Coordinates of all heavy atoms in Angstrom, one line a residue:
Y25 N 17.6 11.8 -8.4 CA 16.2 11.5 -8.5 C 15.3 12.8 -8.7 O 14.1 12.7 -8.6 CB 15.7 10.8 -7.1 CG 16.2 9.4 -7.1 CD1 17.3 9.1 -6.4 CD2 15.6 8.4 -7.9 CE1 17.8 7.8 -6.3 CE2 16.0 7.1 -7.8 CZ 17.2 6.8 -7.1 OH 17.6 5.5 -7.1
R101 N 22.9 2.4 5.1 CA 21.9 1.5 4.5 C 21.4 2.1 3.2 O 21.2 1.5 2.2 CB 20.8 1.1 5.4 CG 21.2 0.2 6.3 CD 20.2 -0.2 7.4 NE 20.8 -1.0 8.4 CZ 20.5 -1.0 9.7 NH1 19.5 -0.3 10.0 NH2 21.1 -1.7 10.5
L102 N 21.3 3.5 3.2 CA 20.9 4.1 1.9 C 22.1 3.9 0.9 O 21.7 3.6 -0.3 CB 20.8 5.6 2.2 CG 20.2 6.5 1.2 CD1 18.7 6.2 1.1 CD2 20.4 8.0 1.5
K105 N 22.5 0.2 -0.9 CA 21.8 -0.3 -2.1 C 22.3 0.2 -3.3 O 22.0 -0.3 -4.4 CB 20.3 0.1 -1.9 CG 19.9 1.4 -2.3 CD 18.4 1.6 -2.1 CE 18.1 3.0 -2.4 NZ 17.0 3.5 -1.7
Y106 N 23.3 1.2 -3.2 CA 23.9 1.6 -4.5 C 25.3 1.1 -4.5 O 26.2 1.5 -5.4 CB 24.0 3.2 -4.6 CG 22.7 3.8 -4.3 CD1 22.4 4.7 -3.3 CD2 21.6 3.6 -5.2 CE1 21.2 5.3 -3.1 CE2 20.4 4.2 -5.0 CZ 20.2 5.0 -3.9 OH 18.9 5.6 -3.7
V154 N 8.6 -2.9 -12.1 CA 9.9 -2.2 -12.5 C 11.0 -3.3 -12.3 O 11.2 -3.9 -11.2 CB 10.1 -1.1 -11.4 CG1 11.4 -0.4 -11.9 CG2 9.0 -0.1 -11.6
L155 N 11.7 -3.6 -13.4 CA 12.7 -4.6 -13.4 C 13.9 -4.1 -12.5 O 14.1 -2.9 -12.5 CB 13.1 -4.9 -14.8 CG 12.0 -5.6 -15.6 CD1 12.4 -5.7 -17.1 CD2 11.7 -6.9 -15.0
R156 N 14.8 -5.0 -12.1 CA 14.6 -6.4 -12.1 C 14.1 -7.0 -10.9 O 13.5 -8.1 -10.9 CB 15.9 -7.1 -12.5 CG 16.3 -6.8 -14.0 CD 17.6 -7.6 -14.3 NE 18.7 -6.9 -13.6 CZ 19.4 -6.0 -14.0 NH1 19.3 -5.5 -15.3 NH2 20.4 -5.4 -13.3
G157 N 14.2 -6.3 -9.8 CA 13.8 -6.8 -8.5 C 12.4 -7.4 -8.3 O 12.2 -8.3 -7.5
I180 N 14.6 1.2 -15.0 CA 15.2 2.6 -14.9 C 16.7 2.5 -14.5 O 17.1 1.4 -13.9 CB 14.5 3.4 -13.9 CG1 14.3 2.7 -12.5 CG2 13.0 3.7 -14.3 CD1 13.9 3.6 -11.4
H182 N 20.1 3.2 -12.2 CA 20.2 3.4 -10.7 C 21.4 4.3 -10.4 O 22.2 4.5 -11.2 CB 20.5 2.1 -10.1 CG 19.2 1.3 -9.9 ND1 18.4 1.6 -8.8 CD2 18.6 0.3 -10.5 CE1 17.3 0.9 -8.9 NE2 17.4 0.0 -9.9
E209 N 5.8 -3.2 -7.0 CA 7.2 -2.9 -6.6 C 7.7 -4.0 -5.7 O 6.9 -4.6 -5.0 CB 7.3 -1.6 -5.9 CG 7.6 -0.4 -6.7 CD 9.1 -0.3 -7.1 OE1 9.9 -1.3 -7.0 OE2 9.6 0.8 -7.4
D210 N 9.0 -4.3 -5.7 CA 9.5 -5.2 -4.8 C 9.6 -4.5 -3.4 O 9.2 -5.1 -2.4 CB 10.9 -5.8 -5.3 CG 11.9 -4.6 -5.8 OD1 11.4 -3.4 -5.8 OD2 13.0 -4.9 -6.1
I211 N 10.2 -3.3 -3.4 CA 10.4 -2.7 -2.1 C 10.3 -1.2 -2.4 O 10.8 -0.6 -3.3 CB 11.8 -3.1 -1.5 CG1 12.1 -2.5 -0.1 CG2 13.0 -2.8 -2.5 CD1 13.2 -3.2 0.7
V212 N 9.7 -0.5 -1.4 CA 9.7 1.0 -1.3 C 10.5 1.4 -0.1 O 10.2 1.0 1.0 CB 8.3 1.6 -1.3 CG1 8.4 3.1 -1.4 CG2 7.4 1.0 -2.5
D213 N 11.5 2.2 -0.3 CA 12.5 2.5 0.7 C 12.3 4.0 1.0 O 11.4 4.4 1.6 CB 13.8 2.1 0.2 CG 14.9 2.3 1.2 OD1 14.7 2.4 2.4 OD2 16.1 2.2 0.7
T214 N 13.2 4.8 0.4 CA 12.9 6.3 0.6 C 11.7 6.8 -0.2 O 11.1 7.8 0.1 CB 14.2 7.1 0.1 OG1 14.3 6.9 -1.3 CG2 15.4 6.7 0.8
G215 N 11.4 6.0 -1.2 CA 10.2 6.4 -2.0 C 10.6 7.2 -3.3 O 9.8 7.7 -4.1
M216 N 11.9 7.6 -3.4 CA 12.3 8.4 -4.5 C 12.1 7.8 -5.8 O 11.7 8.5 -6.8 CB 13.8 8.9 -4.3 CG 13.9 9.9 -3.1 SD 15.5 10.7 -3.1 CE 16.5 9.5 -2.4
T217 N 12.4 6.5 -6.0 CA 12.2 5.8 -7.2 C 10.7 5.8 -7.6 O 10.3 6.2 -8.6 CB 12.6 4.3 -7.1 OG1 14.0 4.3 -6.6 CG2 12.5 3.6 -8.5
L218 N 9.9 5.5 -6.6 CA 8.5 5.4 -6.7 C 7.9 6.8 -7.2 O 7.0 6.9 -8.1 CB 7.8 4.9 -5.4 CG 6.3 4.7 -5.6 CD1 5.9 3.6 -6.4 CD2 5.7 4.5 -4.2
N219 N 8.3 7.8 -6.5 CA 7.9 9.1 -6.8 C 8.1 9.5 -8.3 O 7.3 10.0 -8.9 CB 8.7 10.1 -5.9 CG 7.9 11.3 -5.6 OD1 6.7 11.3 -5.4 ND2 8.7 12.4 -5.6
L239 N 7.4 -5.2 -0.1 CA 8.0 -4.8 1.1 C 7.9 -3.2 1.3 O 8.0 -2.6 0.3 CB 9.5 -5.2 1.1 CG 9.8 -6.7 0.9 CD1 11.2 -6.9 0.9 CD2 9.2 -7.5 2.1
K241 N 9.6 -0.4 3.6 CA 10.6 0.2 4.7 C 10.1 1.5 5.1 O 10.7 2.5 4.8 CB 12.0 0.3 4.1 CG 12.9 -0.9 4.3 CD 14.3 -0.5 4.1 CE 15.0 -1.7 3.4 NZ 16.4 -1.3 2.9
R244 N 11.9 4.6 6.6 CA 12.9 5.4 5.9 C 12.2 6.3 4.8 O 13.0 7.0 4.1 CB 13.8 4.4 5.1 CG 14.8 3.9 6.0 CD 16.2 4.5 5.6 NE 16.3 4.1 4.2 CZ 17.3 3.4 3.8 NH1 18.2 3.0 4.7 NH2 17.5 3.1 2.6
R245 N 10.9 6.3 4.7 CA 10.2 7.0 3.7 C 10.4 8.6 3.7 O 10.4 9.2 4.8 CB 8.7 6.8 3.8 CG 7.9 7.2 2.5 CD 8.3 6.4 1.3 NE 8.6 5.0 1.6 CZ 7.7 4.1 2.0 NH1 6.4 4.4 2.0 NH2 8.1 2.9 2.4
T247 N 9.2 10.5 0.9 CA 8.0 11.0 0.2 C 6.8 10.5 0.8 O 6.9 9.7 1.7 CB 8.0 10.5 -1.3 OG1 8.0 9.1 -1.2 CG2 9.4 10.9 -2.0
I258 N 8.7 -3.7 6.8 CA 9.9 -4.2 7.4 C 10.8 -3.1 8.0 O 10.6 -1.9 7.6 CB 10.7 -5.0 6.4 CG1 11.3 -4.2 5.2 CG2 10.1 -6.2 5.9 CD1 12.4 -4.8 4.4
E261 N 16.6 -2.6 7.5 CA 17.7 -3.5 7.3 C 17.9 -3.7 5.7 O 16.9 -3.6 5.0 CB 17.4 -4.8 7.9 CG 17.0 -4.8 9.3 CD 18.3 -4.9 10.2 OE1 19.4 -4.8 9.8 OE2 18.0 -5.2 11.4
F262 N 19.1 -4.0 5.3 CA 19.2 -4.3 3.9 C 18.9 -5.7 3.6 O 19.5 -6.6 4.2 CB 20.7 -4.0 3.5 CG 20.7 -3.9 2.0 CD1 20.4 -2.7 1.3 CD2 21.1 -5.1 1.3 CE1 20.5 -2.7 -0.1 CE2 21.1 -4.9 -0.2 CZ 20.8 -3.8 -0.8
V263 N 17.9 -5.9 2.8 CA 17.4 -7.3 2.5 C 17.7 -7.7 1.1 O 17.8 -6.9 0.2 CB 15.9 -7.4 2.8 CG1 15.6 -7.2 4.3 CG2 15.1 -6.4 1.9
V264 N 17.9 -9.0 1.0 CA 18.1 -9.6 -0.4 C 17.2 -10.9 -0.6 O 16.7 -11.4 0.5 CB 19.6 -10.0 -0.6 CG1 20.4 -8.7 -0.7 CG2 20.1 -10.9 0.4
G265 N 17.2 -11.4 -1.8 CA 16.5 -12.6 -2.0 C 15.1 -12.5 -2.7 O 14.6 -11.2 -2.7
L268 N 15.3 -9.7 -5.0 CA 16.0 -8.5 -4.5 C 17.5 -8.8 -4.5 O 17.9 -9.9 -4.1 CB 15.6 -8.1 -3.2 CG 14.2 -7.4 -3.0 CD1 13.6 -7.8 -1.8 CD2 14.4 -5.9 -3.2
D269 N 18.3 -7.9 -4.9 CA 19.7 -8.2 -5.1 C 20.6 -7.2 -4.2 O 20.2 -6.2 -3.8 CB 20.2 -7.9 -6.5 CG 20.3 -6.4 -6.9 OD1 19.2 -5.7 -6.6 OD2 21.3 -6.0 -7.4
Y270 N 21.9 -7.6 -4.0 CA 22.9 -6.7 -3.7 C 24.0 -6.8 -4.8 O 24.5 -7.9 -4.9 CB 23.4 -7.0 -2.3 CG 24.7 -6.0 -2.0 CD1 24.4 -4.7 -1.9 CD2 25.9 -6.5 -1.9 CE1 25.5 -3.8 -1.6 CE2 27.0 -5.7 -1.7 CZ 26.6 -4.3 -1.6 OH 27.7 -3.4 -1.3
R275 N 19.6 -12.8 -5.8 CA 18.3 -12.7 -6.3 C 17.6 -14.1 -6.2 O 16.3 -14.2 -6.1 CB 18.2 -12.2 -7.7 CG 18.5 -10.8 -7.9 CD 18.1 -10.3 -9.3 NE 18.8 -9.1 -9.8 CZ 18.4 -7.9 -9.5 NH1 17.3 -7.7 -8.8 NH2 19.0 -6.8 -10.0
Ligands
IMP1 P1 13.9 4.1 -3.0 O1 13.9 4.9 -4.2 O2 14.7 4.5 -1.9 O3 12.5 3.9 -2.5 O4 14.5 2.7 -3.3 C1 13.8 1.7 -4.0 C2 14.7 0.8 -4.8 O5 16.0 0.6 -4.1 C3 14.0 -0.6 -4.9 O6 13.3 -0.7 -6.0 C4 15.3 -1.6 -4.8 O7 15.7 -1.7 -6.1 C5 16.3 -0.8 -4.0 N1 16.3 -1.2 -2.6 C6 15.9 -0.5 -1.5 N2 16.1 -1.2 -0.4 C7 16.6 -2.4 -0.7 C8 17.1 -3.5 0.1 O8 17.0 -3.5 1.3 N3 17.6 -4.5 -0.7 C9 17.7 -4.5 -2.0 N4 17.3 -3.5 -2.8 C10 16.8 -2.4 -2.1

Side-chain angles (χ1 to χ4, degrees):
Y25 288 100
R101 282 175 192 150
L102 188 73
K105 83 182 177 203
Y106 309 119
V154 185
L155 294 170
R156 287 182 291 271
I180 58 168
H182 278 284
E209 267 282 21
D210 47 355
I211 182 164
V212 181
D213 185 13
T214 63
M216 289 195 281
T217 309
L218 184 67
N219 205 40
L239 305 175
K241 266 195 219 174
R244 280 247 302 238
R245 194 66 35 77
T247 60
I258 62 168
E261 303 269 15
F262 194 85
V263 294
V264 291
L268 287 146
D269 74 309
Y270 176 65
R275 291 192 198 273

